[in-house]
Amino acid sequence: MRSVGPSSRSTSVSSQQLLLFLLHVLVSQQHHMCHAFGPFSPGDLDKGFNLLETASKVVPQGRIVQTAKEGWKFAWKRMMAELAPQDKTGSYRRPSYTFDGKIGEGKFPDEAGRYHLYVGN
């Protein structure tokens, strides 16, 4: 990624450096945190931690947003890779269930009050 700094020099900034810079901005803006959560006076504009505006003085806003988007996408894919069932190729695979009987046959006799159906929303 290329960005133009205050001295109008082009410098190379990696995504990791950008994330570290954003973390630094967040920590340096710590004294504003209490105000960021309220209470607000009438007419106050809630800018949150003001990260985008502050960091855009060094890095273009589009790059900041793209880095955040890619970070969330990476986290989502990692979470799905570890939590969702998949086959050897990495594709989603619906899990097989061991219950293959039918109520009213064999070891699941049809008896009043034995089975309950819970439906949630």
Side-chain angles (χ1 to χ4, degrees):
M1 171 180 94
R2 307 299 276 184
S3 67
V4 178
S7 64
S8 298
R9 284 188 319 155
S10 290
T11 57
S12 179
V13 179
S14 70
S15 294
Q16 183 180 16
Q17 289 171 322
L18 178 59
L19 289 173
L20 288 172
F21 172 75
L22 292 175
L23 181 61
H24 170 73
V25 170
L26 178 63
V27 171
S28 67
Q29 296 290 325
Q30 190 172 5
H31 64 279
H32 296 294
M33 286 184 181
C34 293
H35 181 66
F37 294 117
F40 298 106
S41 303
D44 277 354
L45 178 63
D46 180 10
K47 291 186 171 187
F49 295 125
N50 203 20
L51 283 176
L52 194 58
E53 188 176 327
T54 304
S56 67
K57 294 173 185 170
V58 178
V59 180
Q61 283 189 359
R63 183 62 178 160
I64 296 169
V65 171
Q66 185 65 30
T67 301
K69 182 179 175 183
E70 292 299 320
W72 281 109
K73 191 187 304 184
F74 173 78
W76 177 258
K77 286 182 178 181
R78 290 299 341 132
M79 199 166 50
M80 289 297 103
E82 293 181 21
L83 299 176
Q86 44 186 297
D87 60 13
K88 292 180 181 182
T89 65
S91 299
Y92 173 78
R93 183 171 165 256
R94 187 175 301 280
S96 58
Y97 298 100
T98 56
F99 179 79
D100 59 356
K102 294 182 181 177
I103 295 176
E105 294 180 0
K107 56 185 176 177
F108 305 104
D110 188 11
E111 298 174 2
R114 180 172 180 171
Y115 304 102
H116 302 278
L117 176 63
Y118 297 96
V119 180
N121 185 355

